[in-house]
Amino acid sequence: YYLYTDGDVPTQVEPWDGSLENARRNYSRFIGALPFKLLNRSPGRVMAIGSGGGLDVLLAKAAGAAEVDAVEINPAIPRIVAGKELQSTYARIYREPGVRLLVDEGRSFLQRAGKYDLIYFACAKTATTQT
């Protein structure tokens, strides 16, 4: 699926069986997994800015993250990813233990949130704040 929010910014959502082991295997060669490989250990705490459909969060959990703060500026995303239409996709990662989906502006949230082992910000773009 491609979710178009704000009529402009797509976020991709693909099928996922719920297995972190399968996610590790399926995304091990994906460029988005590189920051977790460079960390060279399981991250304790990760912040994903502009988490959209959940791939960034899935990559963090597959890398062994204990806690993931997924910060999304678009207030429609939590409702969309919780929908039954996406229950067999990686959007379901938001229901995993240790994952918090927060609606906020990422950089502003980071100033208040404390320290993270890894901050994941993969080409996030939004039309939410454009006039």
Side-chain angles (χ1 to χ4, degrees), residues 16-88:
W16 178 52
D17 66 1
S19 164
L20 291 175
E21 181 57 41
N22 286 344
R24 273 188 286 281
R25 185 174 43 256
N26 294 340
Y27 292 102
S28 67
R29 298 180 60 117
F30 174 55
I31 188 72
L34 183 61
F36 300 101
K37 290 180 181 180
L38 292 175
L39 188 60
N40 207 25
R41 63 178 170 81
S42 293
R45 192 167 181 228
V46 173
M47 178 182 173
I49 300 175
S51 55
L55 179 57
D56 303 356
V57 179
L58 179 61
L59 294 172
K61 290 299 283 183
E67 297 177 32
V68 181
D69 286 341
V71 184
E72 174 58 53
I73 196 168
N74 190 312
I77 290 294
R79 179 182 48 80
I80 292 168
V81 297
K84 66 177 182 165
E85 301 85 359
L86 300 180
Q87 65 186 357
S88 62

Side-chain angles (χ1 to χ4, degrees), residues 5-9 72-75 103-108 124-131:
T5 56
D6 308 319
D8 181 37
V9 184
E72 174 58 53
I73 196 168
N74 190 312
V103 176
D104 205 333
E105 195 281 323
R107 292 159 289 210
S108 173
K125 177 186 177 235
T126 184
T128 301
T129 58
Q130 293 179 352
T131 56

